[in-house]
Amino acid sequence: MPEDIPNSHRTGPDDQGRFGIFGGRFVSETLMPLILELEAEYERAKTDDSFWAEMADLWTHYVGRPSPLYHAERLTQHLGGAKVYMKRDELNHTGAHKINNVLGQIILARRMGKTRIIAETGAGQHGVATATVCAKFGLKCVVYMGAHDVERQAPNVFRMKLLGAEVVPVTSGRGTLKDAMNDALRDWVTNVRDTFYCIGTVAGPHPYPAMVRDFQSIIGKETREQMMAAEGRLPDTLVAAIGGGSNAMGLFHPFLDEPTVNIVGVEAGGKGVDDRMEHCASLTGGRPGVLHGNRTYLLQDDDGQILEGFSISAGLDYPGIGPEHAWLHETGRARYVAITDAEALEAFQLCCALEGIIPALEPSHALAQVMKMAPDLPADHLIVMNMCGRGDKDIFTVARALGVDIAG
Amino acid sequence: MSRIGTTFARLQAEGQKAFVAYIMAGDPDMETSLAVMRGLPGAGVDVIELGMPFTDPMADGPTIQYAGQRALAGGQTLERTLEMVRRFREGDTDTPIVLMGYYNPIYSRGVDRFLADAGAAGIDGLIVVDLPPEEDVELCLPARAVGIDFIRLATPTTDDRRLPAVVRNTSGFVYYVSITGITGAAAASAADVAPDVARIKAASGLPVVVGFGISTPQGATEIASVADGCVVGSAIVKLIAEGRPVPQVLEAVAALADGVHAAGARAPAG
């Protein structure tokens, strides 16, 4: 094959940290040397067997990997089409895929001699995962969380505090996830010497999108092996929910160069993707822009001001998306769709009733997409959806949405 | 020579230091901020730094954050900021104007269109916080090509290895951020700043002004005496936030200007 024709979707980013035009390093000069140092350290770690050996050991004994690939038999029957599998990353320690990435970054931070870890969190899952690993390694941990999210995610705030983290409610801007990320960046710019910024998704300046993807790719690698063992072949369709997009990228990346594998990313459609902008579907309803260190699709107004997203799921409530997803969207390698709050709630309940699994609201979006697709597909079509988090954290939100009072 | 070049050349000939004053365009509304802007040269300001409001100002402390929020709430847009500059230029064709802000509103407008409009409005330079030298092809090089200065921020983390890259495509002057931190934080001391200023001057061959954390006339004198000038932002924006009438704001600006210019009288530029 001629070398000048791109024949792989797995070689990005380039040395400027770009996936096509997306990605890059749009940060202030103060942070630039830190980002270059991190890149150099990650490049070293990536080819260091002892780094991956430490990861593998903790994945096995601390996180509980590999997570099962589970055939959802009753759901499959109910939908009456494709054979549905779930990648059970909600069974990880701390209840979501977030810890896969946090472990990698904290091990890296330790190698760099950093003693203070900062993180941003929306629903609190990344914050809890970061607080957990910091407790395990005896590192100081500061978590920035939108004041609004602190209020609606009280159990996770208490968890983080139990784990020894300081939780800083962010009141700047409108007090949401993007503002928490702004304040984490402000902290980092102030405490450059001892602090490591542990970003929770495949966004931010290079090398974060690639690094977080690499840590989350364990999801897709396991899925590949497990599907070969179960069915003797690759899956036909992958479906995953996307806020920033780390669980999706983790599942998708090992399959990007398999032309037979159909890839579907599911954004949060909130109350519907239209002019009211009450959604978080950056690809479906946004356009390219620059925020938080990278160029990607963003929800923004005509003046380039960033808009707040809206979703029933706090974990999807982010106006951007990882740059690699933006690129996969433009190249057409992956297809991106939006699922509304109402559809996700329906999927949430169906999953509880048919499979005895209480899913988080994030993967409920992926499940809702599976419910749309599966009935029209043949019985030998293999779908894998990423069950990236468990729903314990969401029961109050769901109860409220269903009009049930469980607070008293 | 550009207005920025002319201004620094004149100041140097006079043995004077440059006073760079920052205000947020449209804070709290366009007419008020235009009135403040029009009064700045008379109050002793040598270079005007005009903030472009952005929803997510990651390098700014609360004072500038709130200023941006007030401006946006008042309906400020990039278009209106350009209009402000056009109206300012009707009465002042000499004072250099540097737009300062973040990349997305510029990118959203389109770089070529923005540069054409900015040049026509009478803008002399740009400071874009989230465009490090690694991203020079985005805006820095196109701006230089149409004669608009691209003023770089150098910081305490900019080491000797990195400094040449940081100053390579910069023009007009270099803005030394004296602390690792956000705008409006505590100031660095003149003694800490002096060696860095010398290092950056040698590497760039450009005037170096120092900013972040300077809030009093005395502080301005101290810092300006070891640099080519200094920037005051948050301290002025705070007065606007308090709702002080324009003449009172300008009075305080004049006191800061006197502070900066006292440094020139004390330590003539060599």
Side-chain angles (χ1 to χ4, degrees), chain A residues 280-325:
Chain A
C280 295
S282 319
L283 288 177
T284 321
R287 62 191 170 88
V290 173
L291 179 71
H292 292 153
N294 63 129
R295 175 168 21 232
T296 188
Y297 274 70
L298 299 172
L299 302 182
Q300 54 184 319
D301 69 12
D302 292 341
D303 190 42
Q305 306 295 338
I306 308 305
L307 299 172
E308 297 289 334
F310 177 88
S311 170
I312 191 171
S313 153
L316 302 180
D317 206 342
Y318 180 70
I321 183 167
E324 194 167 5
H325 285 296

Side-chain angles (χ1 to χ4, degrees), chain B residues 4 37 52 61-62 90 96 101 122 157 178-179 185 209 220 232 234 238 253:
Chain B
I4 293 174
M37 188 182 181
M52 300 178 279
E90 289 166 7
T157 60
S178 62
I179 51 159
V209 306
V232 179
S234 296
K238 253 182 206 157
V253 171

Side-chain angles (χ1 to χ4, degrees), chain A residues 13-222:
Chain A
D14 64 20
D15 55 8
Q16 297 302 306
R18 303 280 182 108
F19 304 90
I21 66 161
F22 300 104
R25 288 179 284 219
F26 296 89
V27 296
S28 64
E29 173 57 26
T30 310
L31 291 182
M32 204 56 225
L34 280 75
I35 283 167
L36 294 174
E37 183 196 357
L38 174 62
E39 184 185 350
E41 191 66 34
Y42 178 56
E43 286 303 318
R44 269 195 296 277
K46 226 165 59 172
T47 53
D48 180 348
D49 289 345
S50 71
F51 176 79
W52 292 107
E54 190 177 356
M55 288 280 281
D57 180 62
L58 288 165
W59 271 338
T60 305
H61 299 107
Y62 192 65
V63 176
R65 301 209 72 92
S67 69
L69 182 68
Y70 163 71
H71 173 212
E73 216 172 330
R74 290 191 69 213
L75 184 70
T76 297
Q77 274 172 11
H78 176 84
L79 296 176
K83 187 169 182 182
V84 179
Y85 281 86
M86 294 174 176
K87 178 61 175 166
R88 301 287 305 277
D89 253 53
E90 99 280 14
L91 294 175
N92 293 337
H93 181 40
T94 70
H97 68 291
K98 292 290 186 187
I99 197 163
N100 300 334
N101 159 51
V102 169
L103 269 179
Q105 289 197 51
I106 300 296
I107 293 172
L108 203 57
R110 278 161 50 85
R111 288 166 71 106
M112 295 173 76
K114 303 289 183 182
T115 53
R116 179 174 176 271
I117 307 297
I118 57 171
E120 84 294 335
T121 197
Q125 292 306 102
H126 175 60
V128 167
T130 306
T132 297
V133 180
C134 284
K136 180 188 158 37
F137 285 112
L139 294 165
K140 185 171 168 50
C141 178
V142 179
V143 179
Y144 288 90
M145 186 170 186
H148 182 55
D149 290 332
V150 167
E151 218 167 279
R152 49 175 185 177
Q153 304 288 341
N156 270 347
V157 173
F158 186 58
R159 276 187 195 105
M160 287 185 270
K161 288 181 176 168
L162 283 174
L163 293 160
E166 179 191 348
V167 180
V168 182
V170 173
T171 54
S172 70
R174 286 187 225 172
T176 62
L177 176 57
K178 88 174 167 69
D179 302 302
M181 197 152 178
N182 289 335
D183 267 17
L185 286 162
R186 290 178 185 121
D187 178 311
W188 202 23
V189 101
T190 308
N191 302 292
V192 293
R193 315 275 172 205
D194 64 344
T195 297
F196 185 99
Y197 182 15
C198 182
I199 295 184
T201 190
V202 285
H206 179 64
Y208 282 99
M211 181 172 70
V212 176
R213 172 201 70 197
D214 292 348
F215 294 149
Q216 292 292 2
S217 289
I218 186 70
I219 300 172
K221 286 177 198 156
E222 286 176 5

